[in-house]
């Protein structure tokens, strides 16, 4: 294993970071979430939209890694380079916040879905206590060194891919074309709604399962070769997308859509149980537990790295740029796990903590992705890093515009509720962290445009708070 503290992450290690970040709990919930919304026809359309959009975004990350090799921890650094300090902060804060929410989702899933007799839906008092113990156990393990944690992540990534591949092979063995054809447009008991509504209902889960596509970009400062960042992004995207599409579509050929929609999460376990019996559910459940723990570890590393990198670039208070003797951004890790702990406690007041945390995680990632795509458009238009008259420049501009349009479409598909709730979180983040960082630098708080952006965010947050207080918006 390469020594990440010396900047020696290989292509294989970077690809493992992408795959490990993307293959978490979400892929194990795809059969039920899709079957609830649509049949194979709608699922194919949804994956064509999501896959094409995220591929465009992956290509933007690849192009930016090649054209701007001087920019590290690209998720927020690209936003800052293209759109200024405050947008860079919002990107960093939004990405970090979404990662924290995702970590809460993992604990809710692990306890609520596997041990419901003990922990209820994962938001009971005892579930919260056990989650807090787990959060802080991982915290102190990571403090011992990033290299050790990254090595564990690589091993876990291999371990959690195996059950998914076995499940896909079993679905292929029991593939029934007549059953697939019966389900194709929804089959028996399909709710009456338009194809557009069916596809829209799958969009947030597709965003969630694609989170982590930027894993190599986040760790770009550790890359052995800068070109490996873009290559790892594409390799990870292609491999995981293939797995996700197979996990979604093959179950439709083994059982009625309504039966798949009715299984409990993680629905891949229930879908396999319909085919081979209880041992299939147990087998997948073991894989999910490994996957959840591995994904939690990967995202804990990413959370701390994003906060650390933002502090190093003066987009966050310098307190979070400190590292301990093992090279771990300790203060960033402490803040991350304090916030994760607070979110875990807040699940006690949620009606459906499982889906709420999943959807909130997805929406918070959209702004960073939109700004990355927008920066891809900017550098292609300016010709930064391109030869004069290069066809590559036009190609990359078209790709970046498609990524922008896809991300904007996802904001619409997400719905106003989640956008307002994200604004509720952005305002205190701005007031506490951004203003703190700007005062440390004795820099101007906002340009006129940035002040306008903050004003819109405040208005959206006020509407969100009003909705929560009046019950119009329910978490």
């Amino acid at each position: 294993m390469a020594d990440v503290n010396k900047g020696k992450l290989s292509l294989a290690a970077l690809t493992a970071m992408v795959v490990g970040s993307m293959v978490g709990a979400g892929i194990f919930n795809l059969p039920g979430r899709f079957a609830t919304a649509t049949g194979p026809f709608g699922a194919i359309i949804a994956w064509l939209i999501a896959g094409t959009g995220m591929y465009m975004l992956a290509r933007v990350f690849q192009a930016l890694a090649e054209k701007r090799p001087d920019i590290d921890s690209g998720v927020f650094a690209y936003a800052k380079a293209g759109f200024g300090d405050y947008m860079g902060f919002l990107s960093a804060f939004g990405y970090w916040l979404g990662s924290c929410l995702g970590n809460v989702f993992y604990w809710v899933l692990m306890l609520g879905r596997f041990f419901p007799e003990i922990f209820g839906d994962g938001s009971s008092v005892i579930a919260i206590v056990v989650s807090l113990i787990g959060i802080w156990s991982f915290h102190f393990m990571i403090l011992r060194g990033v290299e050790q944690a990254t090595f564990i992540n690589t091993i876990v990534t291999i371990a959690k891919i195996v059950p998914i591949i076995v499940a896909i092979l079993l679905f292929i063995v029991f593939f029934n074309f007549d059953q697939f054809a019966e389900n194709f447009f929804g089959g028996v008991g399909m709710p009456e709604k338009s194809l557009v509504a069916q596809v829209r209902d799958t969009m947030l889960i597709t965003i969630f399962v694609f989170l982590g596509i930027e894993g190599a970009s986040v760790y770009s400062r550790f890359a052995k070769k800068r070109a490996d960042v873009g290559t790892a992004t594409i390799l990870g995207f292609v491999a995981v997308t293939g797995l996700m599409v197979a996990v979604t579509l093959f179950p439709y050929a083994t059982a009625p859509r309504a039966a798949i929609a009715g299984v409990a999460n993680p629905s891949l376990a229930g879908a396999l149980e319909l085919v081979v019996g209880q041992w299939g559910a147990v087998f997948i459940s073991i894989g999910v537990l490994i996957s959840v723990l591995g994904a939690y570890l990967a995202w804990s590393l990413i959370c701390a790295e994003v906060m650390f990198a933002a502090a190093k670039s003066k987009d966050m208070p310098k307190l979070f740029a400190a590292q301990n003797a093992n090279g771990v951004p300790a203060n960033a890790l402490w803040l991350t796990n304090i916030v994760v702990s607070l979110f875990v406690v807040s699940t006690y007041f949620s009606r459906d903590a499982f889906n709420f945390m999943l959807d909130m995680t997805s929406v918070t990632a959209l702004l960073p992705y939109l700004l990355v795509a927008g920066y891809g458009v900017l550098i292609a238009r300016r010709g930064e890093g391109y030869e004069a008259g290069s066809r590559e420049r036009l190609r990359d501009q078209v790709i970046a515009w498609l990524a922008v349009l896809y991300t904007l479409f996802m904001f619409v598909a997400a719905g106003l509720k989640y956008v307002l709730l994200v604004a509720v979180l952005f305002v205190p983040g701005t007031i506490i962290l951004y203003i703190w960082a700007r005062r440390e630098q004795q820099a101007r708080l906002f340009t006129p445009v940035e002040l306008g952006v903050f004003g819109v965010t405040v208005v959206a947050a006020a509407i969100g708070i009003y909705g929560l207080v009046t019950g119009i918006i329910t978490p």
Side-chain angles (χ1 to χ4, degrees):
M1 179 63 196
D3 183 353
V4 297
N5 294 321
K6 295 181 180 178
K8 299 294 184 181
L9 275 180
S10 65
L11 173 60
L14 286 168
T15 304
M17 287 300 297
V18 176
V19 175
S21 300
M22 291 178 70
V23 180
I27 192 170
F28 292 95
N29 296 309
L30 287 173
R33 186 77 179 248
F34 267 81
T36 301
T38 189
F41 183 61
I44 291 169
I45 293 174
W47 279 120
L48 284 173
I49 294 171
T52 301
M54 293 305 293
Y55 177 71
M56 295 302 155
L57 193 61
R59 289 292 301 273
V60 171
F61 275 109
Q62 182 183 37
L64 292 177
E66 294 172 357
K67 306 306 178 186
R68 290 302 306 271
D70 55 307
I71 297 180
D72 286 324
S73 302
V75 176
F76 74 92
Y78 294 140
K80 179 180 178 179
F83 304 101
D85 293 326
Y86 184 52
M87 297 309 293
F89 167 82
L90 286 181
S91 180
F93 182 73
Y95 188 81
W96 171 78
L97 191 67
S99 302
C100 291
L101 289 166
N103 282 351
V104 176
F105 167 83
Y106 290 133
W107 289 107
V108 172
L109 170 67
M110 186 165 54
L111 300 181
R113 303 296 173 170
F114 290 106
F115 311 102
E117 301 84 1
I118 303 173
F119 301 112
D121 65 353
S123 61
S124 63
V125 172
I126 187 171
I128 290 171
V129 170
V130 172
S131 296
L132 293 175
I133 292 172
I135 288 166
W136 292 102
S137 297
F138 272 87
H139 172 85
F140 288 109
M141 182 191 74
I142 293 171
L143 285 177
R144 297 177 61 184
V146 175
E147 179 181 4
Q148 172 182 304
T150 307
F151 175 74
I152 294 172
N153 176 71
T154 302
I155 299 300
V156 169
T157 296
I158 296 171
K160 66 188 178 184
I161 292 295
V162 172
I164 296 172
I165 293 176
V166 171
I168 291 171
L169 292 175
L170 287 170
F171 286 132
I172 292 174
V173 169
F174 289 94
F175 192 95
N176 183 324
F177 182 79
D178 291 337
Q179 182 66 73
F180 189 80
E182 179 184 313
N183 285 332
F184 196 70
F185 296 105
V188 178
M190 181 65 198
E192 293 186 8
K193 55 183 177 180
S194 68
L195 180 62
V196 172
Q198 293 176 36
V199 172
R200 186 184 63 232
D201 289 347
T202 69
M203 285 292 98
L204 281 182
I205 185 66
T206 62
I207 282 289
F208 184 83
V209 294
F210 275 122
L211 293 178
I213 193 174
E214 67 294 323
S217 179
V218 171
Y219 277 86
S220 58
R221 71 188 179 98
F222 291 131
K224 187 174 183 179
K225 292 194 299 181
R226 184 69 192 199
D228 288 346
V229 174
T231 304
T233 300
I234 298 298
L235 288 175
F237 167 81
V238 171
V240 177
T241 300
L243 292 176
M244 292 190 297
V245 172
V247 163
T248 301
L249 293 179
F250 286 151
Y252 284 117
T254 60
R257 181 206 56 81
I260 301 169
V263 301
N265 283 315
S267 58
L268 180 59
L272 191 60
E273 185 176 10
L274 293 174
V275 177
V276 300
Q278 188 175 8
W279 75 264
V282 173
F283 176 72
I284 293 299
S285 296
I286 293 171
V288 175
L289 283 172
I290 294 171
S291 183
V292 168
L293 291 172
Y296 180 82
L297 174 60
W299 279 101
S300 294
L301 290 167
I302 288 175
C303 282
E305 179 65 21
V306 168
M307 180 62 70
F308 168 77
K312 290 285 286 185
S313 62
K314 300 181 180 179
D315 295 293
M316 291 286 181
K318 63 182 180 181
L319 171 69
F320 303 111
Q323 293 178 289
N324 66 11
N326 296 316
V328 177
N331 292 339
L333 189 65
W334 277 100
L335 177 64
T336 294
N337 286 321
I338 288 171
V339 170
V340 170
S341 297
L342 291 174
F343 280 138
V344 164
V345 172
S346 76
T347 62
Y348 182 77
F349 305 99
S350 175
R351 291 193 309 173
D352 184 0
F354 177 85
N355 283 305
F356 179 69
M357 287 298 170
L358 185 154
D359 292 339
M360 282 291 289
T361 302
S362 302
V363 175
T364 51
L366 291 177
L367 179 62
Y369 286 169
L370 176 61
L371 294 174
V372 167
Y375 185 57
V377 172
L378 288 181
I379 69 159
R381 291 186 63 185
R382 295 170 184 165
E384 295 181 25
Y386 295 91
E387 295 180 3
S390 170
R391 292 184 178 181
E392 180 188 23
R393 177 183 171 186
L394 176 60
R395 180 202 66 192
D396 287 352
Q397 187 173 343
V398 171
I399 288 172
W401 271 117
L402 290 173
V404 167
L405 292 174
Y406 168 71
T407 314
L408 290 173
F409 168 74
M410 292 308 303
F411 269 112
V412 175
L416 185 60
K417 165 185 172 178
Y418 292 105
V419 174
L420 294 176
L421 290 177
V422 168
V424 170
L425 298 173
F426 275 1
V427 170
T430 298
I431 293 172
I432 297 171
L433 295 174
Y434 181 71
I435 292 179
W436 178 1
R438 301 300 285 177
R439 286 182 174 173
E440 281 184 345
Q441 302 163 44
Q442 297 182 337
R444 180 172 63 170
L445 289 180
F446 300 106
T447 66
V449 173
E450 290 172 343
L451 185 60
V453 171
F454 179 57
V456 171
T457 306
V458 170
V459 171
I463 296 172
I465 292 171
Y466 174 79
L468 288 170
V469 171
T470 59
I472 297 174
I473 297 176
T474 54

